[in-house]
Amino acid sequence: MDGWNRFYVNRFIAPAFDSLGPGIDVSSPKNIEIWGGGITAGSHLHLHASRGSLVRLATWRTGEREGRIDIGDCVLISPGTHIVASEEIVIGSDTMIASNCYISDSDWHDTYDRTAELDKHRPIRIGENVWLGVRAIVGKGVTIGENSIIGAGSVVTRDIPANCIAAGNPARVVRELDTTREFKRRSTLFRNPEKLEQDMDNLMRYLLRENTTLGWLRSVFSPSGTD
């Protein structure tokens, strides 16, 4: 992170967590929203938002019950993803969550009483090293076993076992993974922090390659429709 991002994260993002491990990495921090208490994360959390693709972590209090979000180590959360808890959402270490996913442990309104949540909430458990594809939806009461992959656009309404690929609406197992093969997890990226930092710096330089001081000044004083 550059100096401005680091200041913003330390001043506004990190204090919003009840506990947060070291090594957090955030892109576009102004597009990160963290609401409510009971939100914790381990080390090397990657929160990647972008303009128009807000990342939101939120908990809700109902009476004496307050939702909780517990995120493990080395978890990736991509732009546009919303994680909202009425009861409890647990996300295991090394999990990757692609863009525009929605994870919620509540329907938020009863089928017939649209003014109340009533009993329409149950905790979510996402195991370690899970991969959620783009625009996946995970509903209340679901458990996803470790190493499993949820296909893009899938809607998970029932438990998915470990070591498989599931897809569809509702999501169903379409293939079993070969457990005799080694899974290389995100945590391996952090065994060489110098290389990782250089790789991330190269990536940001590529993404920002067209940004110039003159272009920034023009966008401030004479913005166009594409700014």
Side-chain angles (χ1 to χ4, degrees), residues 95-147:
T95 287
M96 301 189 302
I97 303 174
S99 299
N100 298 303
C101 291
Y102 181 73
I103 304 169
S104 174
D105 63 0
S106 175
D107 292 343
W108 301 106
H109 302 279
D110 180 67
T111 303
Y112 296 99
D113 182 354
R114 305 298 170 85
T115 69
E117 180 187 27
L118 300 184
D119 63 347
K120 301 295 185 178
H121 58 86
R122 294 195 301 277
I124 290 172
R125 302 280 187 270
I126 298 176
E128 294 189 357
N129 201 39
V130 166
W131 177 9
L132 301 184
V134 171
R135 295 188 177 87
I137 297 173
V138 180
K140 67 182 188 297
V142 163
T143 294
I144 301 175
E146 65 177 356
N147 302 321

Side-chain angles (χ1 to χ4, degrees), residues 36-71:
I39 302 175
T40 65
S43 62
H44 301 295
L45 172 65
H46 280 196
L47 292 174
H48 293 313
S50 61
R51 186 170 61 180
S53 292
L54 186 77
V55 166
R56 176 177 291 141
L57 309 179
T59 60
W60 188 260
R61 180 185 291 274
T62 303
E64 296 183 357
R65 187 188 77 247
E66 183 174 47
R68 292 191 56 82
I69 299 173
D70 182 8
I71 302 169

